[in-house]
Amino acid sequence: MKIRMPVLTTHMALLLLIALSSPVSADDGATRLELPEEYVQFTMAGGGRYAAFQLASQNKVIVYDLAAAEQAFQIEEVAPGDLLAGSQDKLVVVSPSKMMASRWDLKSARRDKVAIIKSSDTPREALLGAAGNGPLLLIGDKQAEWFDLANLEPLEIQGPMFGGRGNYGLCVHVSAAGRTFAAIPTGYGPVGYSVVHLEGRRTTQVPFSSTSNAIRWAQPSADGHLLLLPGGEVFNRNGRPIAAKWLDGAAVIPSLDPSYLVAVRVDQRDSEGKPMAKLTVCSTADCQPLFTATGFEEIVPARINSWHDIAGALRMGNQWRVQLVPKENLLVTMPSDNRTIVIRPFNLRKQLRRSIDDYVYVRSVPPLAATKGETLRYRVRVQSSTKDHRITLQDGPENAKLTDGTLEWNVPAEYSEPWARFLIAVSNADGKEVFHSFEVAVRDEVEKP
């Protein structure tokens, strides 16, 4: 994909960093793959390298290697109503009618495990993080249950958890790492969002917002650092709203890399009045724009009367039709015809280096939590147009220090606040300065065995 970039300007604010001038235009240097017929569901896997599609009438799943832009393998005898879920290395097919699960290895393209689903509730939804290693979450009408991906056996997890789908349904999205699950009941009427964080074999659950709107979802970022709601609302993992007004009205979609998000607007017009989409890649660290391109007509709905049309163009079930895969330098779209995969080469760092004279932003994602009595360490990683940059701690808890780009904080065992906040300044050799502000949850000291 050939993209011309405008000159970047700096936004001197407490958050971060770079604001682009007007969006740039992207030509259509894309590879298009046509499926033999429409698919009824799809799932990402392999950290975003693979996508699996269940065909409507052929009772099979086709798995594509997106980096190679070709079919990788097929799975036969997949019945209507079966469920797909992908992890970093595996693809799982859950058959509710047989109460059975089969696991496929992505690299060998072979089935390596079949097991009975040991549950009293029939699964209606299966969730795995596309860049994680489990566990597998199966959601039925009455309850949600964890399963070990290694043996497909029930997994004992301690802590709070949301229930099943109930009478009105439950919309659940999982982070790419597979450790954060955000949920909200579907249907109508005032309801609340909640998020479940899984650490080891324990969970914490946080309510973080509510709505009466019919369009409702909450998508965790790749590592669960942020929670993304319809219309551009953003919350941190502790349920605190994050002010990012420029995201208002956008659908914000995490990439498969924890460092980046994509803000998508499909209600745009070009200079000739033709419909187009605008995609902006932004940093997860501070929700600031890095790069914007326009075009992508394949994801623009035929008509837009409400958010229902926008959501239908960008989502299918709990999967997004726009997938940014930085590890493979790809931007993948799945138009709502349910037959086409559009694959574009997309190297963000290369575009920034080629086209922008002066920029600096924080590429790393802050830690999620700190433990009382232990040392928090966070390596601040910076992307800059110059080789030299300076990182300084401006504010934070007592005893926190930053040396050679690494933040260290010896967390007091008696620390009384539920979280700690940090403010870090980053400047490059040309004098550009941005601020990296974040908070981490502070949990109780772990008892030593």
Side-chain angles (χ1 to χ4, degrees):
M1 182 174 65
K2 187 177 180 181
I3 300 175
R4 299 189 302 275
M5 293 287 297
V7 175
L8 204 68
T9 60
T10 306
H11 181 61
M12 301 297 291
L14 251 193
L15 287 176
L16 193 56
L17 92 113
I18 303 170
L20 290 175
S21 59
S22 58
V24 296
S25 192
D27 69 18
D28 196 22
T31 299
R32 283 173 165 76
L33 303 178
E34 296 288 336
L35 275 72
E37 66 170 47
E38 291 186 21
Y39 56 85
V40 294
Q41 66 171 316
F42 77 92
T43 189
M44 302 298 292
R49 175 161 186 160
Y50 296 92
F53 300 84
Q54 183 183 10
L55 300 186
S57 65
Q58 296 188 33
N59 290 350
K60 69 171 62 174
V61 169
I62 298 180
V63 181
Y64 283 93
D65 182 335
L66 301 176
E70 63 184 18
Q71 181 177 315
F73 62 95
Q74 295 186 25
I75 302 175
E76 305 291 341
E77 303 302 324
V78 179
D82 285 0
L83 309 171
L84 303 180
S87 71
Q88 177 64 48
D89 301 312
K90 307 293 182 180
L91 178 68
V92 176
V93 180
V94 176
S95 177
S97 63
K98 298 182 177 67
M99 292 298 285
M100 179 189 84
S102 58
R103 190 185 65 206
W104 295 73
D105 184 80
L106 293 171
K107 292 183 179 178
S108 68
R110 294 179 179 274
R111 189 180 66 194
D112 59 12
K113 182 71 177 178
V114 179
I116 294 172
I117 300 171
K118 297 175 182 177
S119 170
S120 59
D121 201 359
T122 301
R124 305 298 184 191
E125 192 166 357
L127 292 170
L128 277 170
N133 295 304
L136 171 68
L137 180 64
L138 298 183
I139 303 174
D141 292 330
K142 299 178 181 179
Q143 61 187 2
E145 298 177 274
W146 308 98
F147 288 79
D148 191 337
L149 185 58
N151 55 27
L152 298 180
E153 292 286 334
L155 191 61
E156 188 68 28
I157 300 292
Q158 302 296 321
M161 184 59 178
F162 45 76
R165 292 169 56 85
N167 294 328
Y168 302 104
L170 187 71
C171 178
V172 184
H173 285 255
V174 60
S175 65
R179 311 296 289 185
T180 301
F181 300 80
I184 186 170
T186 56
Y188 293 86
V191 288
Y193 289 93
S194 67
V195 60
V196 170
H197 302 293
L198 176 62
E199 184 173 352
R201 296 201 175 187
R202 283 195 165 274
T203 64
T204 57
Q205 187 174 16
V206 181
F208 62 92
S209 187
S210 62
T211 185
S212 59
N213 294 329
I215 298 296
R216 48 182 74 158
W217 71 73
Q219 172 66 67
S221 60
D223 69 340
H225 179 70
L226 298 177
L227 303 165
L228 314 172
L229 276 61
E233 282 190 278
V234 181
F235 290 76
N236 72 10
R237 69 181 272 110
N238 302 319
R240 185 186 300 278
I242 294 176
K245 288 296 184 183
W246 73 273
L247 291 174
D248 284 354
V252 187
I253 305 169
S255 81
L256 274 298
D257 183 324
S259 299
Y260 305 106
L261 309 169
V262 181
V264 181
R265 301 176 190 271
V266 296
D267 57 347
Q268 307 292 294
R269 298 276 175 173
D270 64 15
S271 59
E272 298 177 355
K274 296 179 180 179
M276 67 176 186
K278 180 169 74 172
L279 274 65
T280 301
V281 180
C282 60
S283 64
T284 302
D286 291 288
C287 294
Q288 294 298 308
L290 306 176
F291 172 88
T292 297
T294 57
F296 313 100
E297 293 84 356
E298 72 275 4
I299 61 171
V300 177
R303 61 180 183 179
I304 303 177
N305 294 325
S306 69
W307 254 94
H308 287 275
D309 299 318
I310 296 173
L314 296 178
R315 295 172 62 231
M316 184 179 192
N318 56 22
Q319 296 290 324
W320 290 96
R321 295 184 183 274
V322 176
Q323 297 284 340
L324 177 62
V325 192
K327 184 178 179 181
E328 304 292 344
N329 293 322
L330 296 177
L331 177 63
V332 182
T333 59
M334 289 87 162
S336 55
D337 64 4
N338 288 0
R339 288 199 62 169
T340 312
I341 313 168
V342 183
I343 305 171
R344 291 178 171 87
F346 189 90
N347 188 322
L348 175 63
R349 296 185 198 174
K350 187 175 181 180
Q351 292 295 338
L352 291 175
R353 286 197 303 267
R354 282 181 174 179
S355 308
I356 300 172
D357 293 331
D358 191 8
Y359 64 89
V360 59
Y361 69 93
V362 176
R363 180 168 56 87
S364 56
V365 178
L368 302 175
T371 302
K372 295 177 183 179
E374 298 185 1
T375 300
L376 171 74
R377 291 183 176 86
Y378 167 42
R379 177 69 175 174
V380 183
R381 301 187 183 278
V382 174
Q383 197 73 24
S384 173
S385 54
T386 65
K387 292 183 179 180
D388 298 323
H389 51 263
R390 185 168 177 258
I391 307 172
T392 57
L393 178 63
Q394 300 295 305
D395 202 355
E398 187 178 356
N399 298 327
K401 61 180 181 180
L402 197 153
T403 307
D404 295 330
T406 298
L407 173 68
E408 290 192 355
W409 177 40
N410 294 322
V411 187
E414 66 279 4
Y415 192 81
S416 60
E417 297 295 328
W419 50 68
R421 298 186 182 94
F422 299 85
L423 180 62
I424 293 173
V426 179
S427 58
N428 66 10
D430 290 336
K432 298 291 184 182
E433 183 181 43
V434 297
F435 291 92
H436 182 32
S437 175
F438 61 93
E439 70 180 34
V440 299
V442 180
R443 58 197 174 191
D444 291 333
E445 183 178 1
V446 178
E447 293 184 9
K448 301 295 188 291

